[in-house]
Amino acid sequence: MRDIVCCLTAFAAVVAPAFAQSPAEEGSGTLRVCADPNNLPFSDRNGKGFENKLAELVADDIGMAVSYKWWAQRRGFIRNTLKAGTCDVIMGVPALDMIGLTRSYYSSTYVLVSRVDKGYEFSSLQAPELRDLKIGVHLIGDDGANTPAVQVLGDLGIVENVVGYPIYGDYREDSPPLRVLKDVVDGKIDMAIVWGPLAGYFAKTTAAPLKVTPITGAEAFLPFVFQFSIAMGVRKDDQALQSKLNEVISRKRPEIEAILDEYGVPRL
């Protein structure tokens, strides 16, 4: 998912024009996956995301082939894919009431990201240093939903030095949510606050050494939460597939962990 925001409120709420789609294959021999074609490290049309790798692992384990329904993860994603019956599973979702969930296969957190040479040593959003830094955050849209970091920084009065980056960005670019992290590398901002998997992946794939620090002390900001468990999502009436996926998650736990490690996904 996009920055849980990546992704979280965005995924649950979030409009969207369709992008080029490949027709879902019919038949019990195909695992039909709902996915975004331009959203690394999660998924892309070339199969380079960790959710692509998970889909391949799952399908191979249950003796199926993989096909995709491609749709940008914006508002209407679930309605136009899973609920429309054009695909059967979303590989990474937070706890959502509108769909059936498997058991969680990883939990992660929001993180602070900065260049190593900046030397920042704090991990709390209450750190006084944040008031003097240029901070990049993801913005979801104009429908009242926002990331927990944006909400908490606003409550703390840290506003003037915060730079907002649309979570969707320019879809003509590769994986638009990574823009905020590129600006950390380029020195346009001092720090970014993003969903952990985005940061871990980018830190592994960029030349500049980056420091990825899980946010601590977040319990002080309840009801806003910064840690989320991620599962696979199916239609609520598809208990057969849900059960199969749960079995794979249990059976293939070491292989799943290896994929997450490969992509630098920070876990709790």
Side-chain angles (χ1 to χ4, degrees):
M1 310 278 3
R2 290 194 183 279
D3 181 39
I4 254 170
V5 159
C6 226
C7 296
L8 285 185
T9 31
F11 187 54
V14 246
V15 275
F19 288 81
Q21 308 151 12
S22 58
E25 299 175 22
E26 301 294 337
S28 58
T30 301
L31 182 68
R32 304 184 307 165
V33 178
C34 324
D36 190 317
N38 186 26
N39 190 26
L40 291 176
F42 306 99
S43 63
D44 81 344
R45 189 181 298 280
N46 297 316
K48 293 183 178 179
F50 72 79
E51 290 179 0
N52 297 114
K53 304 301 183 188
L54 287 168
E56 294 166 9
L57 175 69
V58 169
D60 182 68
D61 187 72
I62 59 180
M64 303 176 81
V66 177
S67 71
Y68 287 97
K69 171 68 173 183
W70 299 118
W71 200 281
Q73 276 187 7
R74 306 186 179 189
R75 182 179 299 149
F77 176 75
I78 294 177
R79 182 181 68 251
N80 289 295
T81 57
L82 190 67
K83 285 187 170 288
T86 58
C87 48
D88 304 310
V89 58
I90 302 170
M91 298 309 299
V93 293
L96 297 174
D97 291 337
M98 65 184 76
I99 59 177
L101 297 171
T102 66
R103 65 189 59 179
S104 168
Y105 65 90
Y106 79 94
S107 296
S108 194
T109 181
Y110 274 83
V111 297
L112 308 176
V113 186
S114 61
R115 291 178 60 109
V116 169
D117 57 16
K118 293 283 188 177
Y120 303 136
E121 295 295 336
F122 57 88
S123 59
S124 169
L125 294 186
Q126 293 179 309
E129 294 93 330
L130 282 177
R131 299 183 180 276
D132 300 316
L133 302 180
K134 196 171 185 179
I135 306 166
V137 296
H138 278 129
L139 302 177
I140 296 173
D142 58 2
D143 58 357
N146 250 318
T147 67
V150 172
Q151 300 283 2
V152 168
L153 290 175
D155 289 347
L156 293 172
I158 303 174
V159 176
E160 297 299 323
N161 56 324
V162 173
V163 181
Y165 291 75
I167 188 63
Y168 307 119
D170 185 344
Y171 209 76
R172 294 169 296 182
E173 297 179 1
D174 290 339
S175 304
L178 295 177
R179 168 54 57 191
V180 62
L181 296 171
K182 293 174 183 176
D183 281 0
V184 171
V185 170
D186 293 341
K188 295 179 180 178
I189 56 177
D190 298 308
M191 177 171 286
I193 304 176
V194 298
W195 176 231
L198 276 175
Y201 168 76
F202 191 77
K204 289 195 72 167
T205 56
T206 189
L210 293 180
K211 183 175 183 179
V212 177
T213 305
I215 290 173
T216 61
E219 58 277 2
F221 306 120
L222 291 172
F224 300 115
V225 294
F226 289 77
Q227 300 176 353
F228 297 90
S229 293
I230 303 301
M232 300 174 195
V234 300
R235 285 180 292 278
K236 282 195 170 184
D237 60 356
D238 198 350
Q239 282 110 11
L241 179 57
Q242 184 181 34
S243 178
K244 282 184 180 180
L245 295 174
N246 277 331
E247 291 172 4
V248 176
I249 291 170
S250 294
R251 188 163 53 240
K252 294 292 185 177
R253 177 64 65 180
E255 290 91 337
I256 292 172
E257 294 290 337
I259 291 171
L260 297 173
D261 285 341
E262 178 186 351
Y263 283 78
V265 176
R267 281 144 16 238
L268 302 176

